[in-house]
Amino acid sequence: MSAGQHRPVPYDPELEPGLAAFLDLVERIPLRADTILANRAHFATIIPPVEQIVGDRPVTVEDRTVPGPPGAPDVVVTVVRPREGVSAAPAFYSIHGGGMVLGNRYFGIDGLIDDVLRFGAVGVTVEYRLAPEHPAPAAVEDCYAGLVWLAEHADELGVDRDRVVVTGASAGGGLSAGVALLARDRGGPAIAGQGLICPMLDDRNVSVSTRQYDGLGAWDRNNNDTAWNAILGPLRGTDEVSPYAAPARMADLSGLPPAFIDVGAAEIFRDEATEYALRIWATGGQAELHVWAGGYHGFTGFSPGAEVSRAAAAARLSWLRRILRSP
């Protein structure tokens, strides 16, 4: 091993206060198998009630119970629409993060509301089952079921079926990739684009970037081990892992909707996100990859005013305007 191997990439100094706030607020309790429930309870306390998140913004918010996967319980989704109504509108199908062990459908809904108002769109966010109580493929199947419902009810919701983007961050990014794979392989709903923000794609946790952030930073290698063990149990690391649960395992990445892949250079998911883009390009597919210098996991959320965060937000909006054919 050379002297510099696995030395972490430095954080952008402008991001360091946000990283400290992230660790203090979100990762106060180390995530291990015996602390998942305690972390889940803590996580729930940092997500405000949806009414508080909405505030006075001109949107309607409605919960719907929709059919779940075959043989599984129904799924709850929350639909966000501009108060004045829409027709033939784009749609954002949003999948929350939290390592597939934490969080709920309101985690990230603030940004979804912004997109709904910015694009005159309909937003749908899905409540999926969490591990370890519900191991893979429960989460990705729940998310796919919600997308099927959205497509089947597009007219009722005022949605243009040809302008649906599936998007999420972290675990939500990995689940978005899994949903896109399921839609391709099952001949399911059309997806205009998949927005994979710092996506959690690979259960093997062996890349250089995972080793650089072993015990360091936001959502480190240890957290990732805990989550994937909960999601996959004894199948983890074997050839039996479902590629829909861990999309990096999918041998064939051809025929997918255009992908936007966005990740920090100073986080564990850097290498698997980059490899995913490379493999899409190798099939002739479309992927737009951004690796942001000095960016920690989820940096745009906790350091929104930093120069690199503003650049990342602008890049994402540019991609969405192109995908959705919006001004």
Side-chain angles (χ1 to χ4, degrees), residues 26-74:
V26 178
E27 298 197 358
R28 190 170 299 172
I29 307 168
L31 184 66
R32 303 294 182 264
D34 61 350
T35 67
I36 288 175
L37 295 183
N39 269 279
R40 193 180 296 168
H42 171 66
F43 207 79
T45 69
I46 67 176
I47 303 173
V50 68
E51 296 81 8
Q52 182 178 332
I53 298 171
V54 171
D56 60 0
R57 287 182 285 184
V59 295
T60 63
V61 177
E62 176 189 10
D63 290 340
R64 300 284 288 268
T65 300
V66 310
D74 288 343

Side-chain angles (χ1 to χ4, degrees), residues 269-289:
F269 294 143
R270 180 195 67 218
D271 293 354
E272 61 201 66
T274 300
E275 179 67 18
Y276 205 71
L278 287 168
R279 293 180 54 214
I280 291 173
W281 291 327
T283 71
Q286 292 188 43
E288 180 168 320
L289 172 67

Side-chain angles (χ1 to χ4, degrees), residues 20-214:
F22 182 114
L23 295 173
D24 182 61
L25 181 65
V26 178
E27 298 197 358
R28 190 170 299 172
I29 307 168
L31 184 66
R32 303 294 182 264
D34 61 350
T35 67
I36 288 175
L37 295 183
N39 269 279
R40 193 180 296 168
H42 171 66
F43 207 79
T45 69
I46 67 176
I47 303 173
V50 68
E51 296 81 8
Q52 182 178 332
I53 298 171
V54 171
D56 60 0
R57 287 182 285 184
V59 295
T60 63
V61 177
E62 176 189 10
D63 290 340
R64 300 284 288 268
T65 300
V66 310
D74 288 343
V75 171
V76 176
V77 299
T78 295
V79 181
V80 182
R81 286 180 278 189
R83 192 175 295 156
E84 71 271 15
V86 292
S87 63
F92 296 98
Y93 185 70
S94 178
I95 304 176
H96 73 80
M100 290 179 256
V101 297
L102 310 172
N104 61 40
R105 67 189 183 278
Y106 300 133
F107 180 46
I109 199 172
D110 186 57
L112 178 63
I113 294 168
D114 287 342
D115 283 338
V116 163
L117 292 173
R118 183 181 288 115
F119 289 94
V122 175
V124 177
T125 179
V126 59
E127 192 75 43
Y128 57 84
R129 289 170 290 170
L130 300 176
E133 299 93 329
H134 304 285
V140 72
E141 290 287 357
D142 286 353
C143 294
Y144 182 71
L147 176 68
V148 170
W149 174 83
L150 168 58
E152 291 177 347
H153 291 77
D155 292 340
E156 171 199 341
L157 296 170
V159 166
D160 178 351
R161 287 180 179 81
D162 294 327
R163 293 198 295 158
V164 176
V165 171
V166 177
T167 187
S170 195
L175 288 166
S176 295
V179 165
L181 291 167
L182 282 172
R184 179 197 68 178
D185 294 347
R186 294 178 179 174
I191 297 173
Q194 48 179 329
L196 313 182
I197 310 302
C198 51
M200 179 180 175
L201 299 166
D202 195 341
D203 66 290
R204 290 163 290 194
N205 209 24
V206 295
S207 71
V208 169
S209 59
T210 65
R211 297 183 187 280
Q212 287 177 303
Y213 298 93
D214 188 342

